[in-house]
Amino acid sequence: MLRTVVDRVRRFRRSEGFKHSLAAPVRFSLHARQRLNRNVFAIEIRENSGFFSVMQMVLFILKHCEEKRLTPQISARGGLYGDPEGKIDWFSALFESVRASGDVKLPRRVRTSTVRDLVQLGLRQRHEAGLRLQSSSDLFRSHYRPVAAIRDEVDATCAKLDIGQSTLGVHYRGTDKKFEAMTLPWADFCRLVEQTLALNPLLTNIFVSSDEQAFIDFFRAWPFNRPVSVAPAKLLSTGDMPVHFSGYPGLEIGREALVSSLLLSKCGYLVKMPSYLSAWSKIFNPDLPTTLAVPPKPDAFWFPDSQIWIEQEQVMGGKAA
């Protein structure tokens, strides 16, 4: 009984509604400050969460700027992926702008606001329901792309591991994801991969990415009758502790997460569990055919996986009809 009560309290404290209420004063102050910039929205992110949770913040900022016709200035320092002193802008270390800086005349003084959680922006409640995969991909890619060193690394890895249109990409996120998504036994997930291969005979090899070494070992031992290559990630989780809380160098964790997502985006088909990392593969490549093995839980039914699941259900419903 006590454990049930504790679990309910924990879920409530993790809920968006609770955090949104607590963050109201910070949110009002932030937007008041940013209105002084007139046509610029300058945000420095110092979030202590997963890499692609931060990328969600970036996407919402870009959506806000698109709606309000503002010029985004986004940086990310400290947190899990930067240095403790906050000197390194790790977002700019991994992404570059695709827009010429001289295209927009900036005010003489730009006031930058620091955010430590998405609720401090207050943008999810406004934009979440309207996000779509193609338009979000177009929006993000119209502003940013991975830096040249990342793109070169991805291309080299694709050539080395033969990743391309004949590759089935597989992503299994474990550890703490059980709090946000339905779970699926490893054997059932492997059978789903088998079914996908049977329905898509042009897929001749498999590329698997996961944060759990035990799952990778299990997956490689499964008789798929296809060669299996593994994402070249050196930093894996320890037990139930997510990789981004495992004490590894922050910038390297972020780099590996980004490279893994981009490699999955280069595949010809993707089978995945709920995860921002592999969901963002659809942002990098919205044409990537994708099967989401199970849905996110109702209280964590967030974009992009929410939209991937909805579109998948619509397709399956159309086939049944």
Side-chain angles (χ1 to χ4, degrees):
M1 178 67 179
L2 178 60
R3 184 171 182 176
T4 300
V5 172
V6 170
D7 286 343
R8 288 178 178 175
V9 171
R10 184 178 297 160
R11 284 197 300 271
F12 175 71
R13 293 186 66 181
R14 286 168 59 96
S15 70
E16 287 293 301
F18 177 73
K19 292 192 291 184
H20 189 266
S21 298
L22 285 181
V26 176
R27 188 165 57 252
F28 295 150
S29 175
L30 181 149
H31 285 280
R33 179 180 175 84
Q34 287 305 305
R35 280 193 288 271
L36 298 175
N37 287 334
R38 298 184 181 274
N39 64 333
V40 174
F41 196 67
I43 300 295
E44 180 178 284
I45 301 171
R46 289 182 178 257
E47 167 73 286
N48 282 307
S49 66
F51 181 86
F52 284 98
S53 293
V54 176
M55 295 304 295
Q56 290 290 100
M57 296 178 71
V58 172
L59 183 60
F60 281 115
I61 291 169
L62 295 179
K63 187 66 178 176
H64 174 74
C65 291
E66 179 186 51
E67 181 183 270
K68 301 296 184 180
R69 297 183 180 181
L70 302 172
T71 298
Q73 282 195 356
I74 303 173
S75 58
R77 300 179 186 274
L80 298 177
Y81 306 106
D83 59 303
E85 296 78 20
K87 295 179 180 179
I88 299 173
D89 177 3
W90 61 260
F91 180 73
S92 296
L94 298 174
F95 292 94
E96 63 186 19
S97 175
V98 299
R99 300 190 173 192
S101 58
D103 290 348
V104 178
K105 184 177 180 180
L106 300 179
R108 182 176 301 177
R109 179 190 175 192
V110 174
R111 301 161 180 84
T112 300
S113 297
T114 300
V115 295
R116 302 182 185 277
D117 193 291
L118 179 57
V119 295
Q120 293 179 351
L121 287 167
L123 300 179
R124 167 170 274 161
Q125 285 76 5
R126 181 168 189 150
H127 297 297
E128 174 85 25
L131 291 177
R132 297 295 180 268
L133 294 166
Q134 183 66 59
S135 59
S136 296
S137 174
D138 292 342
L139 176 62
F140 181 81
R141 293 190 296 167
S142 71
H143 285 274
Y144 297 108
R145 66 180 177 183
V147 296
I150 296 289
R151 302 198 305 271
D152 291 344
E153 180 179 345
V154 169
D155 290 343
T157 304
C158 285
K160 180 180 179 180
L161 300 181
D162 192 26
I163 297 173
Q165 287 303 299
S166 62
T167 304
L168 173 61
V170 173
H171 184 241
Y172 192 97
R173 166 73 192 279
T175 61
D176 65 333
K177 201 61 182 179
K178 60 181 177 288
F179 296 115
E180 298 176 1
M182 307 298 179
T183 58
L184 188 68
W186 292 353
D188 291 347
F189 184 78
C190 288
R191 293 187 188 100
L192 176 60
V193 172
E194 282 184 323
Q195 294 171 13
T196 305
L197 291 169
L199 293 171
N200 298 273
L202 295 180
L203 298 173
T204 58
N205 64 315
I206 303 171
F207 170 73
V208 60
S209 175
S210 177
D211 59 343
E212 290 191 88
Q213 185 62 51
F215 168 78
I216 293 173
D217 294 340
F218 182 91
F219 188 88
R220 295 187 72 181
W222 193 271
F224 289 113
N225 296 319
R226 301 286 199 287
V228 177
S229 59
V230 180
K234 300 176 182 178
L235 311 178
L236 298 176
S237 60
T238 54
D240 287 338
M241 184 67 69
V243 63
H244 48 278
F245 291 126
S246 297
Y248 298 119
L251 194 57
E252 287 305 306
I253 301 173
R255 184 186 183 92
E256 283 201 355
L258 176 57
V259 168
S260 293
S261 182
L262 290 167
L263 289 171
L264 290 168
S265 78
K266 299 291 186 179
C267 295
Y269 200 107
L270 175 61
V271 175
K272 65 188 289 308
M273 292 291 285
S275 167
Y276 275 146
L277 184 151
S278 49
W280 264 77
S281 298
K282 285 282 285 184
I283 301 298
F284 296 129
N285 177 14
D287 297 324
L288 176 65
T290 301
T291 294
L292 184 57
V294 295
K297 289 183 178 179
D299 60 349
F301 200 67
W302 299 321
F303 183 87
D305 273 332
S306 60
Q307 194 63 30
I308 293 173
W309 183 258
I310 289 170
E311 292 186 5
Q312 180 174 301
E313 290 290 277
Q314 290 172 343
V315 170
M316 295 302 295
K319 289 181 179 180

